[in-house]
Amino acid sequence: MATESATVAEARRQMEICNACRYCEGYCAVFPAMAMRRSFTEGDLTHLANLCHGCKGCYHACQYAPPHAFGINIPATFAELRNESYAAHAWPAPLGAVFERNGTIVSLFAALGVALALILTVALQDPAVLWSAQRGVGAFFRVIPHWLMISLGLLTFGFAIVALAMGARSYWRATGGGGGAFAPAPAAEAVVDIAIMRNLGGGGHGCNDLDEGFSTRRRWLHQALMYGFLLCFAATCTGTIYHYFLSWKSPHAFLSLPVQFGFWGGVLMMIGTAGLAHVKIITDPGPVSRKVMGGEFAILGLLFLIAATGLLLLAVRHTGAMGLMLAIHLGLVFAFFLVLPYSKMVHGLYRGIALLRNAQEKRRAVAV
Ligand code: SF4
Ligand code: SF4
């Protein structure tokens, strides 16, 4: 049996104190889920940590927070435990350990590496193409061949999907999720929770995003990022339908669906990533774990660069700068796919599973 980490032991110590105190019972989904348990396995603690959305409310309310000898700091401890769970369930396992400690460096090197590889590929083919203006149907594919673009996209995205699915399966099993029949009601509740990010609303008044004061800025910024990301995905899907089913080849007009989805998605992603990074910089450092900061800034930086280069590509697509911008943008996108299963992005997947499990547990508790 694997030895428990110091973070798991510390989370258990704090949860046992909280379970005796229960002052924060109405603060979030974590405390009612905690109260259903008398003792805490590693799987229980991992589930509770991923159910926590880091609102910091319990830290600011706690009479046992530092400098008290009990040193209760649930948001920071759970942030570290979440990070450990991302590494523990990563697939293939060794890659989880790499990204656990070097988020910033690995993400940036991966992005630069893929961008460089693309630029070299194009330059070796015909350097003139990279620097000359390309116009009309198929302009992008004269710079980077269609087959190369599709192959790299399918390989990197396909790998990310497989790695995420394996990680989700491992996480589901480790946190007590069994087989069982599919129940639509808890699944629907979890989907709505994710879609509106209910927990980041703090019951209406918001969370302690910066200090003891309440604010909903993290919720709005998270939603800008998530819906911006989904719009960019919609841009890729509509572009693919245009290409393969309607034979409408890119570049498309500014008012076309793929470009509009991509434009507004990029704008929202830039607002979301820049805003969340700003919140992380100016927030009260007390309930924050510095250990996880590198990886969080790395993925925000990578997403910001993807959105910014996508918008720049739109701006310069009829000029000689298009080739270089296209290679950099695609390099960043493919690098993002590669680091996706080993970055903070997995928190969306594991939190979704935690919300589903929580919805199931609530129904079971009522039924008993
Ligand atoms: S965080 Fe503090 S106040 Fe809240 S339940 Fe735990 S021990 Fe009690
Ligand atoms: S930080 Fe917020 S979400 Fe996390 S346990 Fe405390 S009150 Fe709940």
Side-chain angles (χ1 to χ4, degrees):
M1 199 172 117
T3 318
E4 282 186 355
S5 71
T7 313
V8 171
E10 175 60 13
R12 181 178 293 115
R13 180 188 75 83
Q14 295 193 27
M15 277 290 100
E16 284 171 355
I17 294 173
C18 287
N19 217 5
C21 166
R22 298 199 178 178
Y23 177 78
C24 299
E25 208 156 14
Y27 276 42
C28 68
V30 170
F31 292 96
M34 169 199 77
M36 289 181 205
R37 293 160 167 83
R38 292 284 174 272
S39 58
F40 302 94
T41 64
E42 183 172 351
D44 288 331
L45 293 164
T46 300
H47 165 63
L48 295 173
N50 280 282
L51 197 55
C52 165
H53 54 284
C55 78
K56 303 166 191 160
C58 58
Y59 174 85
H60 289 294
C62 186
Q63 60 272 39
Y64 304 126
H68 190 280
F70 284 179
I72 300 294
N73 191 341
I74 301 292
T77 305
F78 274 2
E80 288 174 18
L81 189 52
R82 280 195 297 277
N83 209 46
E84 283 190 6
S85 72
Y86 306 153
H89 299 291
W91 182 91
L95 290 181
V98 172
F99 282 87
E100 189 184 9
R101 292 187 184 279
N102 303 298
T104 313
I105 296 168
V106 172
S107 297
L108 288 177
F109 269 89
L112 287 174
V114 181
L116 192 65
L118 272 175
I119 292 168
L120 280 177
T121 305
V122 177
L124 287 174
Q125 178 184 280
D126 181 0
V129 171
L130 194 61
W131 305 108
S132 55
Q134 304 289 325
R135 293 175 190 278
V137 172
F140 292 146
F141 306 133
R142 286 197 290 278
V143 177
I144 298 178
H146 186 245
W147 67 265
L148 181 62
M149 226 185 260
I150 296 301
S151 307
L152 284 175
L154 285 178
L155 271 176
T156 52
F157 187 61
F159 172 74
I161 294 297
V162 171
L164 287 172
M166 295 299 285
R169 190 176 75 141
S170 167
Y171 174 87
W172 177 251
R173 288 178 172 173
T175 55
F182 174 76
E189 182 182 323
V191 168
V192 172
D193 283 348
I194 295 165
I196 64 172
M197 297 189 175
R198 192 196 312 273
N199 287 334
L200 281 169
H205 50 57
C207 298
N208 299 116
D209 292 339
L210 302 181
D211 48 33
E212 298 94 329
F214 291 103
S215 119
T216 51
R217 74 180 73 192
R218 264 181 79 233
R219 182 188 200 181
W220 297 125
L221 291 167
H222 265 99
Q223 286 187 323
L225 179 52
M226 183 175 83
Y227 285 108
F229 187 82
L230 290 176
L231 278 175
C232 289
F233 187 65
T236 306
C237 293
T238 46
T240 305
I241 292 169
Y242 277 21
H243 185 96
Y244 288 105
F245 296 99
L246 303 173
S247 294
W248 298 345
K249 305 283 191 291
S250 61
H252 302 293
F254 181 71
L255 291 178
S256 65
L257 273 183
V259 177
Q260 283 298 300
F261 283 150
F263 176 76
W264 292 109
V267 169
L268 284 175
M269 278 179 67
M270 286 184 74
I271 293 171
T273 49
L276 286 171
H278 183 241
V279 167
K280 285 183 192 303
I281 290 167
I282 64 172
T283 192
D284 174 5
V288 172
S289 167
R290 301 215 67 78
K291 282 189 198 169
V292 304
M293 277 295 139
E296 296 195 354
F297 279 116
I299 200 67
L300 285 175
L302 187 52
L303 287 169
F304 181 88
L305 285 175
I306 287 171
T309 52
L311 292 176
L312 275 174
L313 177 59
L314 181 62
V316 303
R317 63 183 176 161
H318 298 309
T319 74
M322 182 269 269
L324 190 61
M325 195 52 65
L326 178 64
I328 293 173
H329 178 64
L330 286 180
L332 291 168
V333 171
F334 297 150
F336 169 74
F337 290 154
L338 284 177
V339 301
L340 177 60
Y342 316 106
S343 71
K344 176 72 192 290
M345 288 298 286
V346 296
H347 83 285
L349 180 63
Y350 290 179
R351 184 152 302 145
I353 295 174
L355 287 167
L356 174 61
R357 187 178 176 204
N358 187 52
Q360 291 173 332
E361 279 187 354
K362 282 191 295 182
R363 280 165 178 75
R364 254 181 251 134
V366 170
V368 170

